[in-house]
Amino acid sequence: MKGPLILSRRLRAAMFATACAGTLVLGGCASSSEPRYYTLAHGGDAAAAGAALPATTVLSGTTSPTGTGTGTGTSAGTGNGTGVGTGTASQPLWIEVAPARVPERLNRQQIVIGGPDGRVTPLDMARWSAPLPDEWRDALSQRLQIVLGAVDVYQQGLSGVQPLYRITTEVVRLDAQPGARVGATVNWTVRRLPDGRTLAGRTQAELPATGSGDDVAGVVAAMRQVVADTATQIAAGVESLRTEPATVGRRP
């Protein structure tokens, strides 16, 4: 009876060791498959974001940063470029950057990439730090506050403060192909309060994106530039409206 008993103990020990090894392997796989999170916000170099990537902006309305009804430009901006801070310590420039509107296919936390055949793929392992509408709004607000020296009452939760300018954006198109390109079309408006004078514009961009497959670092960098280009044009629009006298009695 001794021989079978020893064999049984050895068998149980071997099975236990195998199970432990399997657990360790599974644990390693779980830790290596955690999603990576990205943000559209720039770091400390936000004011000096690369201006070498091309973009085109079309402005509409009776007032524009170029002084005409329509205009085009590069990623460096039309008119005022990156702009000059306009807020002061005694009187901040109050703005309100509203949540962005995006296509439903992009209204998620996963980064969405596409292929030349028209397929789109949400990447579970590559995600924004927040759903794209919030991620875009926060990044755009950060950029505008830096460029204009402004305070975003929406972001700061200052419900009792009336903004001087209300800014809205609609991301009409944001196509990403790792290793190839990022294409974007963004409609935006700047509305001056309280007279309701509005400037509308469109930022279009076709930018290179490095990487391949699920490597989205180049895609994220290009999308950050799209945000920077959009902010540059919006800031120029704000500056244009600031220099135009308010129209008394105009209905919003």
Side-chain angles (χ1 to χ4, degrees), residues 114-115 173-184 205-210 219 222:
R173 177 178 65 97
L174 191 61
D175 305 326
Q177 295 180 23
R181 55 175 285 276
V182 164
E206 290 291 335
L207 312 177
T210 59
V219 165

Side-chain angles (χ1 to χ4, degrees), residues 30-204:
S31 62
S32 64
S33 60
E34 290 293 324
R36 292 186 175 183
Y37 292 88
Y38 298 85
T39 179
L40 287 172
H42 283 269
D45 62 341
L53 299 177
T56 301
T57 298
V58 179
L59 302 173
S60 62
T62 57
T63 306
S64 76
T66 58
T68 60
T70 60
T72 59
T74 65
S75 61
T78 305
N80 290 353
T82 58
V84 179
T86 57
T88 64
S90 59
Q91 183 60 48
L93 177 63
W94 303 108
I95 64 174
E96 180 185 74
V97 183
R101 289 181 294 174
V102 304
E104 190 57 36
R105 68 182 181 277
L106 301 178
N107 190 8
R108 61 185 69 223
Q109 196 164 359
Q110 295 99 325
I111 295 177
V112 178
I113 62 173
D117 56 357
R119 289 185 301 172
V120 294
T121 305
L123 301 177
D124 288 330
M125 295 296 106
R127 304 185 181 188
W128 300 116
S129 61
L132 183 59
D134 298 325
E135 185 69 35
W136 175 275
R137 198 218 73 84
D138 291 346
L140 182 66
S141 172
Q142 178 205 62
R143 186 79 180 192
L144 286 170
Q145 290 182 79
I146 292 173
V147 171
L148 290 170
V151 176
D152 181 2
V153 299
Y154 184 95
Q155 186 179 58
Q156 301 298 328
L158 302 175
S159 57
V161 178
Q162 175 71 18
L164 298 177
Y165 300 95
R166 180 170 291 132
I167 296 159
T168 64
T169 55
E170 178 185 13
V171 180
V172 179
R173 177 178 65 97
L174 191 61
D175 305 326
Q177 295 180 23
R181 55 175 285 276
V182 164
T185 301
V186 182
N187 293 335
W188 51 264
T189 64
V190 180
R191 185 184 184 196
R192 184 175 63 195
L193 303 175
D195 72 341
R197 184 67 162 159
T198 301
L199 174 66
R202 173 180 294 169
T203 300
Q204 295 180 306

